[in-house]
Amino acid sequence: MQILKKQPTVKAPPETFTGDAWFDVIARGEEPSRIRVSVVRFAPGARNAWHAHAVGQTVHVTDGIGLIQSRGGAVVEIHPGDTVQTPAGEWHWHGATPGHFMTHLAMWEANAEGQEATWGDLVTDEEYGAR
Ligand code: MN
């Protein structure tokens, strides 16, 4: 058994996030587990860039009001208690609405090569506002 003391909160990097967001790492599995769990807090208007997870991702909203969109799909509002599963390789983004903070648990895995996600362009204001 291992008890991990709370780690410092980390600011999300501007290369892959628009606006202000913070990560609290909850779990980083040791082989053979490759699980990754973080609490991610988005300020109003903040969102991550277009990305695709190597082994998919599950997001569970715990606070606030968020937005999520898959490539080619509608921008969808998500609320506390909602769980969104994104399959491996599906391009998408997620973040807060313009008027609310949003916090979610993000759960994903690395693949056998240690790859976790592929990152693309930042989400433009036009894409973000397309509701
Ligand atoms: Mn994601």
Side-chain angles (χ1 to χ4, degrees), residues 48 51-53 57 59 68 86 92-94 119:
N48 50 30
H51 62 283
H53 299 280
Q57 181 182 54
V59 155
I68 191 164
T86 305
H92 68 285
W93 61 267
H94 29 118
W119 291 91

Side-chain angles (χ1 to χ4, degrees), residues 36-108:
R36 309 283 186 263
V37 183
S38 283
V39 172
V40 189
R41 295 181 171 89
F42 296 85
R47 66 274 189 180
N48 50 30
W50 287 101
H51 62 283
H53 299 280
V55 191
Q57 181 182 54
T58 300
V59 155
H60 180 77
V61 181
T62 57
D63 190 64
I65 306 177
L67 298 173
I68 191 164
Q69 180 185 28
S70 287
R71 185 82 83 193
V75 178
V76 177
E77 202 172 278
I78 50 178
H79 297 264
D82 291 348
T83 301
V84 184
Q85 291 180 294
T86 305
E90 183 171 300
W91 284 85
H92 68 285
W93 61 267
H94 29 118
T97 53
H100 300 270
F101 284 82
M102 191 275 280
T103 302
H104 67 41
L105 266 175
M107 297 162 272
W108 71 100

Side-chain angles (χ1 to χ4, degrees), residues 23-48:
F23 278 84
D24 280 355
V25 174
I26 302 299
R28 186 179 174 84
E30 293 181 16
E31 292 282 347
S33 170
R34 304 189 193 105
I35 194 167
R36 309 283 186 263
V37 183
S38 283
V39 172
V40 189
R41 295 181 171 89
F42 296 85
R47 66 274 189 180
N48 50 30

